[in-house]
Amino acid sequence: MSQPPPDRGATVLVVEDEPSIADVLAIALRYHGFRVLVASSVKEARGQVSEARPDAVLLDVMLPDGDGRLFARELRGSCPDTAIVFLTARDAPAEIVGGLGLGDDYITKPFNIDEVVARVGAVLRRIRPTDDADRDVLPAPPPLRYRGLELDETTYTVRREGREVQLTPTEYALLRFLVRNGGRVVTKEQLLRHVWSYEHAAESTVVETYISYLRRKLAPLGAPEITTRRGVGYGLA
């Protein structure tokens, strides 16, 4: 939890209908250098997104005027570069896997406020360049390839035999790490460290959840299977 935010000017929209929770989140994020906007409903959130185009949205799933998951789908279509971190009291793995596949991370309630700040920072480090000037002048990296898969480093798209699927930045980072390790099995701890920037393995359920997302999205491509080595980790067949 010791890593600083990637950009002390990054804007985070907190969408939470419980005022006490929203206030605590806003205070903590501002203390760590983020610009913070707050919305208590889907309607308010739409207005804030339209005006401010936040870098990240910390999004409650259950809102008074709508489902945060549906709003996330809308947001992913209109602002594909905005990071989405869900806040949810629904911690059943099947429900998380089924409903939160559009987010870059999820945090279950009750949560530790320092963990929330660290994970927002980790998501932004994954999906944003650290220097806008570098982004403007550096050439696009070549695609990664593995057993018929082609990973586009600039669009988070994976292709195989003319078919393609769009991944979230987190899904893409996970697949890229598996591809770079070829057919080797990598541990949950390695995935948490290299994909999520977590230094401890306490949040291992996030790996299982995003492996499920990836499997669902890659299945229509006939892609190499993501295999599970029970008690060890994951790899590409």
Side-chain angles (χ1 to χ4, degrees):
M1 301 302 175
S2 59
Q3 291 176 308
D7 180 350
R8 294 184 67 84
T11 299
V12 180
L13 170 61
V14 177
V15 187
E16 167 61 61
D17 66 320
E18 178 57 52
S20 60
I21 295 177
D23 287 346
V24 168
L25 290 169
I27 289 169
L29 289 164
R30 289 187 180 114
Y31 176 79
H32 285 276
F34 293 101
R35 292 195 299 265
V36 181
L37 306 170
V38 178
S40 61
S41 65
V42 171
K43 181 179 179 180
E44 287 183 21
R46 284 195 184 106
Q48 296 277 30
V49 167
S50 176
E51 292 181 10
R53 303 283 294 192
D55 301 292
V57 176
L58 197 54
L59 179 60
D60 190 10
V61 171
M62 294 179 285
L63 294 165
D65 61 341
D67 189 321
R69 294 167 296 189
L70 297 179
F71 177 62
R73 185 179 298 278
E74 174 186 325
L75 183 62
R76 191 60 84 193
S78 61
C79 303
D81 295 330
T82 296
I84 301 172
V85 178
F86 285 105
L87 295 173
T88 176
R90 302 171 176 177
D91 58 358
E95 187 160 358
I96 292 171
V97 170
L100 306 186
L102 289 169
D104 298 294
D105 203 351
Y106 69 89
I107 301 170
T108 56
K109 297 179 180 180
F111 50 75
N112 178 288
I113 192 65
D114 291 332
E115 178 187 354
V116 173
V117 174
R119 287 170 69 168
V120 169
V123 165
L124 286 171
R125 280 190 294 275
R126 286 200 300 276
I127 70 172
R128 295 181 61 189
T130 56
D131 189 329
D132 286 345
D134 288 345
R135 179 186 61 186
D136 290 338
V137 301
L138 290 177
L144 295 175
R145 292 183 172 87
Y146 179 80
R147 294 189 60 189
L149 288 179
E150 182 177 296
L151 283 68
D152 190 316
E153 294 276 78
T154 59
T155 63
Y156 304 128
T157 299
V158 57
R159 302 180 183 87
R160 187 173 188 270
E161 297 180 352
R163 290 172 291 176
E164 69 177 40
V165 65
Q166 189 84 21
L167 304 180
T168 68
T170 298
E171 291 164 348
Y172 184 86
L174 176 56
L175 180 59
R176 178 176 56 193
F177 190 73
L178 292 173
V179 164
R180 285 179 171 171
N181 281 278
R184 290 174 292 182
V185 174
V186 293
T187 67
K188 289 182 180 180
E189 289 77 11
Q190 289 172 316
L191 290 170
L192 286 166
R193 187 165 60 250
H194 291 282
V195 178
W196 280 270
S197 301
Y198 297 168
E199 293 301 323
H200 305 288
E203 295 295 332
S204 62
T205 56
V206 76
V207 176
E208 298 163 356
T209 300
Y210 277 87
I211 287 288
S212 296
Y213 296 161
L214 257 185
R215 283 174 172 154
R216 289 185 178 191
K217 287 192 174 182
L218 295 179
L221 301 182
E225 181 186 2
I226 300 175
T227 61
T228 301
R229 180 74 61 85
R230 192 170 299 278
V232 181
Y234 304 91
L236 289 171

